[in-house]
């Protein structure tokens, strides 16, 4: 952790090892920095304390971390670089941003929309599922089984983006059983970072929400200025690396394997800036069913605070709208 008082005056002279004993969410390099920072930190210490009590809950969030797929990295203390090298994925395509050495050379100008999995067809979900989901997915195991992928496939490392959305929707009661064909699902996605370079993987939402029109507004300071307002339509799954696979036929890729004729649609729109600043522009097109901030580390960014404080205001509006309707 960085000293929470870093950059507010005198320089930090050692590692930030002094935790705030109340919230245990922030750390300081020295007692003097802690005292100095208290006037600011006291405004958020209680909230952080409450959130830290939910840490166990967050760790159980099934789709944020895959034991099966990252087993090799954890158990053998293998570095990410060598994990990817062994699979021919080191600094390749969307995997580029998954290790430190690749991430450092990334540019936010390329959104990875045309990237494929760079894996053989048996190892990745490059086309529609064989059958529609009849039950909710509750683990990576469920997902891999449904998509017929072996558990040693690394795709979970990238698929946690769409599956976290799926899981969050599930938690607020938006499930495939209460969505009907042609429904619109509006999601506000706050603070996207490296997933902006891996947007092709969001295509899996087409399979997770069959027949639904999903609109995701990606709002955050990492969106490059020249891409502000850009709309992106994703109508396919990322392809595998086999030339003769069915995923290369546009029609096969975009529909579900069951030939049900259900077509899902996924539209992403990019908004540069902080959510509390851009909210009025974003909400013009869509009032959100779900607001999600996958990279919102609780004490990581001071700019989160106004956005977090802003959310209950929207939530209240949501309740009012429901009462009127
Ligand atoms: Zn300090
Ligand atoms: Zn504290
Ligand atoms: Zn590397
Ligand atoms: Zn639509
Ligand atoms: Zn394929």
């Amino acid at each position: 952790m960085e000293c929470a008082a870093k950059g507010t005056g005198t320089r930090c002279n050692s590692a930030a090892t002094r935790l705030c004993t109340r919230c245990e969410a922030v750390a300081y390099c020295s007692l003097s920095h802690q005292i100095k920072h208290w006037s600011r930190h006291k405004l958020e210490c209680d909230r952080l304390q409450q959130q830290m009590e939910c840490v166990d809950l967050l760790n159980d969030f099934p789709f944020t971390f895959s034991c099966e797929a990252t087993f090799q990295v954890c158990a053998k203390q293998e570095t990410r670089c060598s994990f990817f090298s062994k699979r021919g994925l080191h600094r390749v395509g969307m995997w580029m941003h998954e290790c430190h050495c690749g991430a450092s050379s990334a540019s936010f100008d390329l959104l990875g929309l045309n990237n494929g999995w760079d894996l053989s067809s048996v190892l990745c979900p490059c086309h529609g599922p064989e059958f529609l989901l009849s039950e909710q997915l509750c683990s990576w195991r469920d997902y891999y089984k449904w998509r017929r992928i072996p558990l040693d496939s690394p795709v979970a490392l990238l698929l946690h983006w769409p599956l976290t959305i799926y899981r969050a929707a599930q938690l607020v009661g938006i499930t495939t059983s209460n969505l009907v064909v042609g429904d619109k699902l509006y999601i506000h996605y706050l603070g996207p970072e490296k997933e902006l370079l891996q947007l092709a993987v969001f295509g899996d939402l087409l399979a997770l929400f069959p027949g639904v029109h999903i609109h995701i507004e990606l709002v955050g300071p990492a969106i490059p200025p020249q891409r502000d307002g850009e709309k992106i339509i994703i109508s396919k799954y990322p392809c595998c690396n086999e030339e003769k696979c069915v995923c290369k036929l546009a029609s096969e890729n975009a529909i579900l394997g069951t030939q049900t004729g259900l077509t899902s649609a996924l539209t992403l729109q990019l908004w540069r800036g902080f959510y509390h600043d851009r909210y009025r522009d974003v909400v013009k097109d869509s009032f959100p069913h779900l607001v999600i901030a996958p990279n919102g580390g609780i004490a990581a960014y001071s700019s989160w605070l106004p956005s977090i404080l802003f959310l209950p205001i929207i939530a209240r509006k949501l309740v009012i709208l429901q009462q009127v309707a």
Side-chain angles (χ1 to χ4, degrees):
M1 254 191 281
E2 262 187 0
C3 173
K6 190 182 165 193
T8 55
T10 49
R11 283 183 72 176
C12 299
N13 38 25
S14 62
T17 51
R18 283 184 75 90
L19 283 180
C20 168
T21 51
R22 285 185 65 208
C23 66
E24 297 184 336
V26 294
Y28 297 93
C29 65
S30 58
L31 180 62
S32 68
H33 265 187
Q34 183 169 8
I35 292 168
K36 209 170 155 225
H37 194 244
W38 177 244
S39 61
R40 271 188 68 175
H41 179 61
K42 70 179 178 195
L43 305 173
E44 54 179 11
C45 187
D46 285 345
R47 178 179 58 78
L48 293 177
Q49 192 181 353
Q50 282 167 20
Q51 284 173 339
M52 290 302 277
E53 281 161 13
C54 300
V55 159
D56 288 342
L57 186 92
L58 292 173
N59 285 340
D60 282 343
F61 211 64
F63 291 126
T64 50
F65 182 75
S66 149
C67 289
E68 290 92 350
T70 52
F71 179 76
Q72 288 88 343
V73 176
C74 301
K76 296 178 196 160
Q77 306 280 307
E78 190 178 16
T79 66
R80 283 204 160 206
C81 297
S82 87
F83 175 87
F84 289 124
S85 293
K86 280 184 195 153
R87 289 160 181 78
L89 299 170
H90 191 228
R91 308 191 60 151
V92 170
M94 294 188 287
W95 303 99
M96 170 92 138
H97 319 291
E98 292 300 314
C99 69
H100 281 293
C101 73
S104 57
S105 56
S107 147
F108 277 105
D109 289 339
L110 305 162
L111 300 183
L113 286 165
N114 295 317
N115 277 326
W117 286 113
D118 292 299
L119 289 165
S120 66
S121 64
V122 291
L123 286 176
C124 61
C126 64
H127 49 81
E130 313 264 312
F131 55 91
L132 293 176
L133 279 174
S134 52
E135 280 166 46
Q136 296 294 311
L137 300 172
C138 292
S139 66
W140 279 111
R141 204 172 283 275
D142 290 353
Y143 176 83
Y144 272 54
K145 200 172 149 205
W146 172 51
R147 295 298 249 143
R148 296 179 189 256
I149 310 165
L151 282 175
D152 62 350
S153 159
V155 289
L157 289 173
L158 297 179
L159 282 169
H160 68 96
W161 301 121
L163 282 155
T164 298
I165 294 176
Y166 171 82
R167 176 63 178 157
Q170 208 178 52
L171 286 178
V172 297
I174 303 167
T175 63
T176 35
S177 56
N178 60 29
L179 286 166
V180 294
V181 172
D183 263 356
K184 290 192 163 112
L185 179 58
Y186 291 105
I187 298 168
H188 289 182
Y189 189 108
L190 280 47
E193 289 173 10
K194 72 173 175 189
E195 64 268 45
L196 288 170
L197 306 161
Q198 301 165 328
L199 289 178
V201 296
F202 284 74
D204 217 61
L205 291 168
L206 299 168
L208 291 162
F209 294 100
V212 176
H213 283 218
I214 310 160
H215 292 253
I216 304 179
E217 316 291 337
L218 296 135
V219 193
I223 309 269
Q226 70 274 22
R227 290 194 171 262
D228 183 32
E230 187 173 325
K231 236 180 212 172
I232 297 159
I233 294 169
I234 295 184
S235 56
K236 62 197 258 317
Y237 305 98
C239 289
C240 66
N241 63 6
E242 290 167 30
E243 238 163 78
K244 294 224 164 90
C245 178
V246 290
C247 67
K248 304 298 179 301
L249 306 165
S251 60
E252 281 295 324
N253 182 304
I255 57 168
L256 293 158
T258 44
Q259 309 284 323
T260 52
L262 283 181
T263 27
S264 324
L266 173 60
T267 308
L268 310 177
Q269 191 159 12
L270 308 178
W271 303 91
R272 178 178 168 82
F274 298 122
Y275 188 58
H276 52 274
D277 291 334
R278 297 306 306 268
Y279 176 74
R280 268 169 216 294
D281 304 325
V282 176
V283 85
K284 256 181 216 153
D285 295 334
S286 66
F287 192 79
H289 297 105
L290 175 70
V291 180
I292 178 172
N295 298 311
I298 55 168
Y301 308 92
S302 48
S303 57
W304 273 118
L305 197 57
S307 283
I308 290 169
L309 293 173
F310 184 66
L311 286 173
I313 302 171
I314 310 172
R316 228 175 290 140
K317 226 187 255 172
L318 183 64
V319 173
I320 293 165
L321 282 179
Q322 279 170 342
Q323 282 167 346
V324 171

mmCIF file of all heavy atoms in Angstrom, residues 117 119-122 124-127 238-242 244-248 253, ligand 5:
data_model
loop_
_atom_site.group_PDB
_atom_site.id
_atom_site.type_symbol
_atom_site.label_atom_id
_atom_site.label_comp_id
_atom_site.label_asym_id
_atom_site.label_seq_id
_atom_site.Cartn_x
_atom_site.Cartn_y
_atom_site.Cartn_z
ATOM 1 N N TRP A 117 -8.877 -15.067 -29.289
ATOM 2 C CA TRP A 117 -8.359 -15.695 -28.075
ATOM 3 C C TRP A 117 -6.891 -16.103 -28.214
ATOM 4 O O TRP A 117 -6.215 -16.324 -27.210
ATOM 5 C CB TRP A 117 -9.183 -16.933 -27.747
ATOM 6 C CG TRP A 117 -10.527 -16.645 -27.200
ATOM 7 C CD1 TRP A 117 -11.734 -16.900 -27.796
ATOM 8 C CD2 TRP A 117 -10.834 -16.075 -25.927
ATOM 9 N NE1 TRP A 117 -12.762 -16.513 -26.977
ATOM 10 C CE2 TRP A 117 -12.242 -16.007 -25.824
ATOM 11 C CE3 TRP A 117 -10.062 -15.619 -24.860
ATOM 12 C CZ2 TRP A 117 -12.888 -15.492 -24.698
ATOM 13 C CZ3 TRP A 117 -10.713 -15.106 -23.735
ATOM 14 C CH2 TRP A 117 -12.100 -15.047 -23.673
ATOM 15 N N LEU A 119 -6.003 -18.964 -28.989
ATOM 16 C CA LEU A 119 -5.985 -20.323 -28.434
ATOM 17 C C LEU A 119 -6.698 -21.240 -29.432
ATOM 18 O O LEU A 119 -7.461 -20.758 -30.270
ATOM 19 C CB LEU A 119 -6.756 -20.364 -27.108
ATOM 20 C CG LEU A 119 -6.138 -19.689 -25.883
ATOM 21 C CD1 LEU A 119 -7.188 -19.510 -24.796
ATOM 22 C CD2 LEU A 119 -4.970 -20.512 -25.360
ATOM 23 N N SER A 120 -6.483 -22.539 -29.313
ATOM 24 C CA SER A 120 -7.205 -23.474 -30.186
ATOM 25 C C SER A 120 -8.675 -23.522 -29.769
ATOM 26 O O SER A 120 -9.033 -23.152 -28.653
ATOM 27 C CB SER A 120 -6.572 -24.856 -30.107
ATOM 28 O OG SER A 120 -6.760 -25.368 -28.806
ATOM 29 N N SER A 121 -9.536 -24.008 -30.689
ATOM 30 C CA SER A 121 -10.978 -23.912 -30.437
ATOM 31 C C SER A 121 -11.427 -24.701 -29.205
ATOM 32 O O SER A 121 -12.390 -24.328 -28.550
ATOM 33 C CB SER A 121 -11.772 -24.341 -31.670
ATOM 34 O OG SER A 121 -11.529 -25.709 -31.929
ATOM 35 N N VAL A 122 -10.743 -25.783 -28.871
ATOM 36 C CA VAL A 122 -11.179 -26.542 -27.684
ATOM 37 C C VAL A 122 -10.940 -25.780 -26.385
ATOM 38 O O VAL A 122 -11.589 -26.048 -25.380
ATOM 39 C CB VAL A 122 -10.495 -27.927 -27.556
ATOM 40 C CG1 VAL A 122 -10.972 -28.878 -28.634
ATOM 41 C CG2 VAL A 122 -8.979 -27.790 -27.556
ATOM 42 N N CYS A 124 -11.245 -22.388 -25.893
ATOM 43 C CA CYS A 124 -11.872 -21.071 -25.714
ATOM 44 C C CYS A 124 -13.309 -21.044 -26.244
ATOM 45 O O CYS A 124 -13.660 -21.801 -27.139
ATOM 46 C CB CYS A 124 -11.028 -19.998 -26.401
ATOM 47 S SG CYS A 124 -10.846 -20.237 -28.170
ATOM 48 N N PRO A 125 -14.148 -20.169 -25.701
ATOM 49 C CA PRO A 125 -15.532 -20.052 -26.175
ATOM 50 C C PRO A 125 -15.608 -19.138 -27.401
ATOM 51 O O PRO A 125 -15.950 -17.976 -27.288
ATOM 52 C CB PRO A 125 -16.261 -19.447 -24.970
ATOM 53 C CG PRO A 125 -15.224 -18.638 -24.270
ATOM 54 C CD PRO A 125 -13.878 -19.263 -24.563
ATOM 55 N N CYS A 126 -15.287 -19.682 -28.602
ATOM 56 C CA CYS A 126 -15.202 -18.835 -29.788
ATOM 57 C C CYS A 126 -16.518 -18.779 -30.566
ATOM 58 O O CYS A 126 -16.635 -18.065 -31.539
ATOM 59 C CB CYS A 126 -14.048 -19.274 -30.683
ATOM 60 S SG CYS A 126 -14.237 -20.920 -31.367
ATOM 61 N N HIS A 127 -17.490 -19.572 -30.162
ATOM 62 C CA HIS A 127 -18.808 -19.473 -30.806
ATOM 63 C C HIS A 127 -19.898 -19.694 -29.770
ATOM 64 O O HIS A 127 -19.609 -19.931 -28.593
ATOM 65 C CB HIS A 127 -18.923 -20.458 -31.973
ATOM 66 C CG HIS A 127 -18.492 -21.840 -31.637
ATOM 67 N ND1 HIS A 127 -19.316 -22.722 -30.977
ATOM 68 C CD2 HIS A 127 -17.314 -22.487 -31.843
ATOM 69 C CE1 HIS A 127 -18.654 -23.860 -30.799
ATOM 70 N NE2 HIS A 127 -17.442 -23.732 -31.309
ATOM 71 N N PRO A 238 -14.997 -13.515 -29.477
ATOM 72 C CA PRO A 238 -13.620 -13.513 -29.986
ATOM 73 C C PRO A 238 -13.330 -14.873 -30.635
ATOM 74 O O PRO A 238 -13.770 -15.903 -30.133
ATOM 75 C CB PRO A 238 -12.766 -13.325 -28.727
ATOM 76 C CG PRO A 238 -13.702 -12.856 -27.658
ATOM 77 C CD PRO A 238 -15.054 -13.372 -28.012
ATOM 78 N N CYS A 239 -12.608 -14.870 -31.764
ATOM 79 C CA CYS A 239 -12.335 -16.118 -32.488
ATOM 80 C C CYS A 239 -11.171 -16.890 -31.874
ATOM 81 O O CYS A 239 -10.336 -16.329 -31.166
ATOM 82 C CB CYS A 239 -12.004 -15.815 -33.946
ATOM 83 S SG CYS A 239 -13.436 -15.278 -34.881
ATOM 84 N N CYS A 240 -11.119 -18.183 -32.220
ATOM 85 C CA CYS A 240 -9.968 -19.004 -31.848
ATOM 86 C C CYS A 240 -8.889 -18.820 -32.919
ATOM 87 O O CYS A 240 -9.058 -18.034 -33.845
ATOM 88 C CB CYS A 240 -10.378 -20.468 -31.743
ATOM 89 S SG CYS A 240 -10.860 -21.155 -33.338
ATOM 90 N N ASN A 241 -7.798 -19.568 -32.820
ATOM 91 C CA ASN A 241 -6.718 -19.384 -33.805
ATOM 92 C C ASN A 241 -6.720 -20.435 -34.912
ATOM 93 O O ASN A 241 -5.735 -20.586 -35.618
ATOM 94 C CB ASN A 241 -5.353 -19.313 -33.104
ATOM 95 C CG ASN A 241 -5.011 -20.607 -32.381
ATOM 96 O OD1 ASN A 241 -5.740 -21.605 -32.499
ATOM 97 N ND2 ASN A 241 -3.915 -20.611 -31.646
ATOM 98 N N GLU A 242 -7.831 -21.161 -35.074
ATOM 99 C CA GLU A 242 -7.888 -22.177 -36.137
ATOM 100 C C GLU A 242 -8.594 -21.599 -37.356
ATOM 101 O O GLU A 242 -9.707 -21.103 -37.251
ATOM 102 C CB GLU A 242 -8.646 -23.412 -35.636
ATOM 103 C CG GLU A 242 -7.870 -24.186 -34.596
ATOM 104 C CD GLU A 242 -8.742 -25.213 -33.886
ATOM 105 O OE1 GLU A 242 -9.705 -25.722 -34.508
ATOM 106 O OE2 GLU A 242 -8.467 -25.473 -32.709
ATOM 107 N N LYS A 244 -9.993 -23.009 -39.899
ATOM 108 C CA LYS A 244 -11.187 -23.675 -40.415
ATOM 109 C C LYS A 244 -12.329 -23.764 -39.399
ATOM 110 O O LYS A 244 -13.335 -24.415 -39.657
ATOM 111 C CB LYS A 244 -10.816 -25.092 -40.894
ATOM 112 C CG LYS A 244 -9.893 -25.077 -42.097
ATOM 113 C CD LYS A 244 -10.341 -26.093 -43.146
ATOM 114 C CE LYS A 244 -9.686 -25.838 -44.491
ATOM 115 N NZ LYS A 244 -8.403 -26.568 -44.607
ATOM 116 N N CYS A 245 -12.185 -23.134 -38.258
ATOM 117 C CA CYS A 245 -13.231 -23.252 -37.234
ATOM 118 C C CYS A 245 -14.497 -22.497 -37.657
ATOM 119 O O CYS A 245 -14.431 -21.498 -38.386
ATOM 120 C CB CYS A 245 -12.703 -22.690 -35.915
ATOM 121 S SG CYS A 245 -13.890 -22.708 -34.583
ATOM 122 N N VAL A 246 -15.667 -22.970 -37.193
ATOM 123 C CA VAL A 246 -16.937 -22.311 -37.533
ATOM 124 C C VAL A 246 -17.004 -20.866 -37.049
ATOM 125 O O VAL A 246 -17.803 -20.084 -37.563
ATOM 126 C CB VAL A 246 -18.168 -23.062 -36.955
ATOM 127 C CG1 VAL A 246 -18.386 -24.374 -37.668
ATOM 128 C CG2 VAL A 246 -18.052 -23.243 -35.452
ATOM 129 N N CYS A 247 -16.177 -20.517 -36.085
ATOM 130 C CA CYS A 247 -16.250 -19.140 -35.577
ATOM 131 C C CYS A 247 -15.853 -18.117 -36.638
ATOM 132 O O CYS A 247 -16.143 -16.929 -36.492
ATOM 133 C CB CYS A 247 -15.406 -18.966 -34.319
ATOM 134 S SG CYS A 247 -13.637 -19.108 -34.556
ATOM 135 N N LYS A 248 -15.217 -18.576 -37.726
ATOM 136 C CA LYS A 248 -14.822 -17.648 -38.784
ATOM 137 C C LYS A 248 -16.002 -17.294 -39.695
ATOM 138 O O LYS A 248 -15.944 -16.358 -40.466
ATOM 139 C CB LYS A 248 -13.674 -18.225 -39.622
ATOM 140 C CG LYS A 248 -12.443 -18.604 -38.801
ATOM 141 C CD LYS A 248 -11.834 -17.398 -38.112
ATOM 142 C CE LYS A 248 -10.621 -17.711 -37.271
ATOM 143 N NZ LYS A 248 -10.823 -18.674 -36.187
ATOM 144 N N ASN A 253 -20.858 -17.583 -35.738
ATOM 145 C CA ASN A 253 -20.291 -16.981 -34.541
ATOM 146 C C ASN A 253 -21.352 -16.211 -33.757
ATOM 147 O O ASN A 253 -21.405 -16.277 -32.544
ATOM 148 C CB ASN A 253 -19.142 -16.042 -34.932
ATOM 149 C CG ASN A 253 -18.473 -15.420 -33.718
ATOM 150 O OD1 ASN A 253 -19.146 -14.785 -32.908
ATOM 151 N ND2 ASN A 253 -17.178 -15.610 -33.590
HETATM 152 ZN ZN1 LIG B 5 -13.171 -21.043 -33.316
#
